[in-house]
Amino acid sequence: GNSVTQMEGPVTLSEEAFLTINCTYTATGYPSLFWYVQYPGEGLQLLLKATKADDKGSNKGFEATYRKETTSFHLEKGSVQVSDSAVYFCALSPPGAGSYQLTFGKGTKLSVIP
Amino acid sequence: ETGVTQSPTHLIKTRGQQVTLRCSSQSGHNTVSWYQQALGQGPQFIFQYYREEENGRGNFPPRFSGLQFPNYSSELNVNALELDDSALYLCASSQQDREYGYTFGSGTRLTVV
């Protein structure tokens, strides 16, 4: 079946540090890949997405590249801010019409300190 | 455009009771999905509705059921509540195109005592 594995947290960084959160997946074919962010007490917000191999998704300074050869979709940001403190989820939806079920990783909690 | 709204925001129920959670989809979206997020975990897919019919289900027992209405709003019903049903329940809507991802509501926090 489909699965998503994220690096375990929590991750604590100083403001302006470089961020990498690793994500690998298992799926047949070419799934769509997503990063969602969840701020305390809130639902999930779509951060970025990629729908085919070598696509780069980007938003708010975050980016991730769909790597089919390594089945990875690592999240990166060059300079984190305190406001980036949240839980980040990597997710996939399988290929095929009607296949909209999202499979999530367990999430990585990021804390950014001033 | 309006987002996805869920009600109630918090709920406390007793083991064995039944509960109904509600969701209003984002305007223009015709697909709705429900997810269960236990504390400290990623969301788990419960089921999905498209044009008022269930067209996908995760590994949840039949006491989890749902409805989608003509205006694309939705309900999640859980019968015979168990303590392990305590979680954040998230509703997500989308157009019938996985490339655009889902829009999630803020969720309903259910506590079963």
Side-chain angles (χ1 to χ4, degrees):
Chain A
N2 300 322
S3 66
V4 174
T5 302
Q6 286 180 239
M7 65 182 287
E8 295 194 10
V11 175
T12 302
L13 295 174
S14 298
E15 206 165 20
E16 300 183 1
F18 184 85
L19 168 71
T20 300
I21 301 178
N22 290 336
C23 170
T24 57
Y25 68 89
T26 300
T28 54
Y30 289 83
S32 289
L33 301 174
F34 305 89
W35 277 99
Y36 281 86
V37 58
Q38 187 173 38
Y39 297 100
E42 298 185 12
L44 300 174
Q45 297 178 24
L46 177 64
L47 182 59
L48 53 83
K49 62 177 175 66
T51 58
K52 59 182 186 295
D54 300 325
D55 264 4
K56 177 183 283 188
S58 61
N59 185 28
K60 300 180 181 179
F62 291 89
E63 59 182 34
T65 301
Y66 189 140
R67 300 289 188 198
K68 180 64 176 176
E69 62 276 12
T70 54
T71 62
S72 65
F73 193 56
H74 305 321
L75 182 68
E76 296 182 336
K77 186 175 185 182
S79 176
V80 294
Q81 305 300 313
V82 172
S83 57
D84 294 328
S85 298
V87 181
Y88 292 82
F89 292 93
C90 185
L92 68 82
S93 68
S99 298
Y100 313 115
Q101 173 181 340
L102 287 169
T103 298
F104 286 88
K106 291 186 175 181
T108 303
K109 183 176 181 179
L110 171 66
S111 297
V112 181
I113 55 177
Chain B
E1 66 184 12
T2 58
V4 176
T5 56
Q6 293 187 241
S7 62
T9 55
H10 295 83
L11 200 54
I12 299 175
K13 288 286 190 179
T14 303
R15 189 172 48 183
Q17 284 188 313
Q18 179 266 343
V19 69
T20 297
L21 310 181
R22 294 179 174 82
C23 171
S24 293
S25 300
Q26 180 167 318
S27 177
H29 286 183
N30 56 16
T31 300
V32 65
S33 300
W34 286 90
Y35 289 79
Q36 180 195 67
Q37 186 180 14
L39 199 62
Q41 300 295 315
Q44 298 289 316
F45 175 73
I46 302 175
F47 45 56
Q48 176 177 283
Y49 279 80
Y50 171 64
R51 292 184 176 175
E52 303 174 53
E53 300 222 352
E54 185 181 295
N55 71 342
R57 190 177 183 93
N59 189 26
F60 281 80
R63 58 190 185 84
F64 286 78
S65 63
L67 286 172
Q68 185 185 28
F69 300 101
N71 65 355
Y72 303 126
S73 64
S74 176
E75 287 182 354
L76 164 66
N77 298 288
V78 187
N79 294 321
L81 284 167
E82 301 176 359
L83 297 179
D84 285 349
D85 296 333
S86 296
L88 180 68
Y89 287 85
L90 296 166
C91 172
S93 71
S94 71
Q95 276 286 36
Q96 193 191 5
D97 187 331
R98 62 190 175 90
E99 294 192 359
Y100 293 94
Y102 288 96
T103 300
F104 280 83
S106 297
T108 294
R109 173 72 63 186
L110 173 65
T111 302
V112 182
V113 297

